[in-house]
Amino acid sequence: MTVLIEPPPSKVAAPTLWGLRPLELHDRYWAARGVQVVRPCDEQSLADKAELYLLVGPDAVVLFDIRELIDSMTWIQPQAMFVRIQDARDVGSRDRIRTDSDGGFLRVERIYKSAGLRSERIVLTASRPLARIWQQTAAATQAWRRIRQFVPHRERCGTRIKGNVYDRHEGREVMAFVKRLVEVWQKPGVSITGARQIDRDVWASGSSVVAAKTRFIGAAWIGEGRRLAEDQTVAGPAVLWDAPDTQPSVMQVPWNEIHPTDGRKPQAPQRGRPIRGRLWKRLFDIAFALVALAITLPLYPLIMLAILIEDGWPVFFAHERETRGGRTFGCLKFRSMQRKAESMKAALVLKNKADGPQFFIEDDPRLTRVGRFLRKTNLDELPQFINVLLGQMSIVGPRPSPYRENQYCPVWREARLSIRPGITGLWQVSRSRQAGLDFQEWIRYDIAYVETMSLKLDLWIIWMTFGVVYRGVMGR
């Protein structure tokens, strides 16, 4: 049973976070995914760099997993996808406490059904003219009628999905939406330029003051003009709205940083090619990973025992990396570094030999003796075949990188996150290791692979990888 406390009526303006009202936070969330939210009778300009337009009614804000819908749109390539979002939230009984204007207790009311919206119809489309038709219509019912008239039956499709739907006009629903948004949106800084990350799941504005010893439990967003002392604990998901006396400036959605900046809209692939391309690559990945695991599995107990004898548990290391679409996963490796390697990194940063976001030094003191052998022979990467079977990686593809590394170049980021990262790749077998060029080569080879990938190229890269590993083992 959930107890809801309804605040007394207030004439104070709606709260803001980083200068954005809750509805604007919703739109920025979708902008971070390349999707522009469009409503009837909406005066905003349509972004030419948006990959999709989400056409929604004037009363709702929606949260749902868009990945399956994008896959379906890639395969079917409709002009418009009609989607019914069914809210998966619990609709059991709730108690609401009624108060008077002074905050005094009046009574308790029990509610047995949802007071908010339980479903919502939306349209996903890549068509800017279609989005403009929706935008220039005064009412949602009229907008739906015009969309159906504009899009032929053969160029549309429909589906139902689970998600969350909230009524933007009801305060309790809006607060529930913001709480859920904090839980699901891990990187608001992608489309909100005023937000900076100060901890794993904690984001704050530039003017907020957070003491170094402030304790955070869970995700938290901290608004403009807020001050947190060292003895404070913030339990998330939490939102500290902008201080009432602040007027933060709000910047436009940085579409140029979210999407490719070459001035061209992404071209839709020819019909049939995405299905065949993904199918052969996925089948090849599964078959290769199964064979590789069957061959190398006898080595696992020996490697694990060697790690245990020298440095104890754990024997595996899972570093958070990004796969297709920016989804995070734990990239598995046999642990090759000491357990305190991360704390040692700060003292070694001046010795970094890489010119980009990577960290690389020769004779890294963080490596264990077993780890040096594993790195030299590439045996530390054997567990990544498990990532391949789980669908998180491919045999061949861009190097798996964490979120921080992927922010250095928008064009490169969008290209490499359009496919699964690989255990090996074009950059690994082609780079020259010249000082000052490694990061430039990394960008060039990743983009080249995405643009030209084929089974023939994958087989060539795998063959070249055997040569690279052999030369590494022999010290050549």
Side-chain angles (χ1 to χ4, degrees):
M1 181 181 68
T2 304
V3 177
L4 302 176
I5 300 179
E6 187 175 71
S10 174
K11 295 183 180 180
V12 179
T16 63
L17 181 69
W18 306 317
L20 301 170
R21 294 186 294 273
L23 183 65
E24 294 169 322
L25 289 172
H26 167 268
D27 294 357
R28 294 295 179 109
Y29 168 81
W30 286 111
R33 284 145 182 79
V35 180
Q36 183 176 14
V37 178
V38 182
R39 297 180 180 86
C41 204
D42 190 354
E43 296 181 356
Q44 69 170 326
S45 60
L46 296 177
D48 58 358
K49 291 188 179 296
E51 293 184 359
L52 288 174
Y53 300 99
L54 191 160
L55 314 184
V56 66
D59 300 324
V61 291
V62 295
L63 292 174
F64 59 91
D65 190 342
I66 199 173
R67 291 171 294 185
E68 281 190 28
L69 301 182
I70 290 179
D71 286 343
S72 297
M73 292 188 73
T74 302
W75 295 358
I76 304 172
Q77 297 186 31
Q79 186 176 356
M81 173 176 279
F82 293 72
V83 182
R84 169 74 71 174
I85 304 172
Q86 296 176 319
D87 200 311
R89 288 180 292 162
D90 181 22
V91 295
S93 66
R94 299 190 299 270
D95 285 348
R96 172 158 41 199
I97 299 176
R98 289 285 187 179
T99 60
D100 57 25
S101 58
D102 297 323
F105 174 81
L106 291 177
R107 62 186 179 276
V108 177
E109 295 178 350
R110 174 152 291 186
I111 304 171
Y112 287 96
K113 62 180 180 180
S114 172
L117 300 173
R118 300 313 306 165
S119 69
E120 176 72 8
R121 293 181 300 170
I122 65 165
V123 178
L124 283 174
T125 180
S127 169
R128 196 176 180 192
L130 197 61
R132 186 175 292 109
I133 289 174
W134 183 275
Q135 183 184 47
Q136 294 175 349
T137 309
T141 53
Q142 183 182 358
W144 277 103
R145 185 163 55 251
R146 291 190 63 188
I147 291 293
R148 288 192 178 95
Q149 292 172 350
F150 187 85
V151 183
H153 282 281
R154 66 180 181 276
E155 294 185 15
R156 59 169 109 151
C157 64
T159 187
R160 293 175 180 265
I161 62 170
K162 296 290 185 181
N164 296 127
V165 180
Y166 305 88
D167 188 340
R168 59 174 285 200
H169 300 297
E170 185 177 338
R172 179 179 58 82
E173 287 278 289
V174 172
M175 293 303 105
F177 156 70
V178 174
K179 178 181 178 181
R180 181 60 179 158
L181 189 64
V182 175
E183 293 175 327
V184 302
W185 195 6
Q186 298 178 348
K187 302 163 187 174
V190 172
S191 58
I192 303 176
T193 52
R196 60 186 175 91
Q197 190 172 18
I198 62 173
D199 205 341
R200 177 181 174 85
D201 297 312
V202 181
W203 292 77
S205 71
S207 69
S208 57
V209 179
V210 181
K213 294 184 180 180
T214 302
R215 186 183 180 193
F216 293 96
I217 304 173
W221 292 357
I222 304 167
E224 292 274 350
R226 292 293 183 178
R227 289 178 171 272
L228 295 178
E230 292 187 355
D231 59 347
Q232 287 186 276
T233 299
V234 179
V239 172
L240 301 182
W241 301 95
D242 296 336
D245 57 344
T246 60
Q247 293 182 335
S249 60
V250 179
M251 300 186 67
Q252 298 296 321
V253 177
W255 291 104
N256 286 341
E257 298 178 15
I258 297 174
H259 300 289
T261 55
D262 59 1
R264 299 172 296 170
K265 285 187 71 67
Q267 299 295 314
Q270 299 179 7
R271 293 184 182 272
R273 290 186 63 184
I275 299 177
R276 292 201 300 269
R278 289 183 182 181
L279 183 59
W280 72 252
K281 190 167 180 64
R282 184 63 187 140
L283 291 176
F284 176 79
D285 287 343
I286 293 173
F288 194 101
L290 288 173
V291 172
L293 282 171
I295 295 173
T296 61
L297 204 56
L299 298 175
Y300 277 52
L302 300 176
I303 296 173
M304 293 167 66
L305 182 61
I307 296 173
L308 281 172
I309 292 174
E310 181 178 3
D311 201 44
W313 291 100
V315 295
F316 292 103
F317 176 74
H319 195 272
E320 188 176 273
R321 305 294 176 94
E322 290 189 317
T323 184
R324 190 174 66 185
R327 299 189 299 274
T328 58
F329 72 101
C331 185
L332 296 173
K333 288 187 176 185
F334 283 117
R335 185 167 63 88
S336 58
M337 290 189 175
Q338 302 173 35
R339 283 172 289 182
K340 57 180 180 179
E342 285 300 315
S343 62
M344 297 171 62
K345 185 175 179 179
L348 299 170
V349 68
L350 295 178
K351 298 182 179 180
N352 186 20
K353 299 295 184 180
D355 63 315
Q358 279 187 287
F359 182 84
F360 171 78
I361 58 176
E362 296 178 357
D363 298 323
D364 195 329
R366 299 174 300 166
L367 289 172
T368 62
R369 286 175 298 175
V370 172
R372 292 184 189 279
F373 175 78
L374 295 178
R375 287 284 186 92
K376 185 176 181 180
T377 58
N378 291 96
L379 292 175
D380 61 319
E381 299 187 358
L382 289 181
Q384 289 175 22
F385 289 114
I386 299 174
N387 290 123
V388 173
L389 292 181
L390 293 175
Q392 298 160 339
M393 292 182 64
S394 184
I395 300 298
V396 179
R399 174 185 174 273
S401 299
Y403 170 78
R404 182 184 60 83
E405 291 184 4
N406 286 330
Q407 305 312 304
Y408 274 69
C409 176
V411 177
W412 171 61
R413 176 189 66 212
E414 297 304 316
R416 68 199 319 270
L417 294 183
S418 67
I419 61 174
R420 294 183 181 91
I423 296 177
T424 185
L426 188 59
W427 174 65
Q428 288 92 323
V429 301
S430 303
R431 59 182 175 175
S432 65
R433 281 290 191 188
Q434 294 183 44
L437 291 179
D438 208 37
F439 184 50
Q440 298 176 41
E441 291 182 347
W442 186 6
I443 293 175
R444 184 170 75 248
Y445 287 127
D446 276 356
I447 294 177
Y449 175 77
V450 172
E451 291 177 344
T452 61
M453 64 178 183
S454 65
L455 179 58
K456 182 179 179 180
L457 178 60
D458 279 12
L459 292 174
W460 179 82
I461 291 173
I462 291 171
W463 174 253
M464 295 299 294
T465 300
F466 286 125
V468 171
V469 172
Y470 175 78
R471 288 192 295 272
V473 172
M474 300 303 295
R476 298 180 183 178

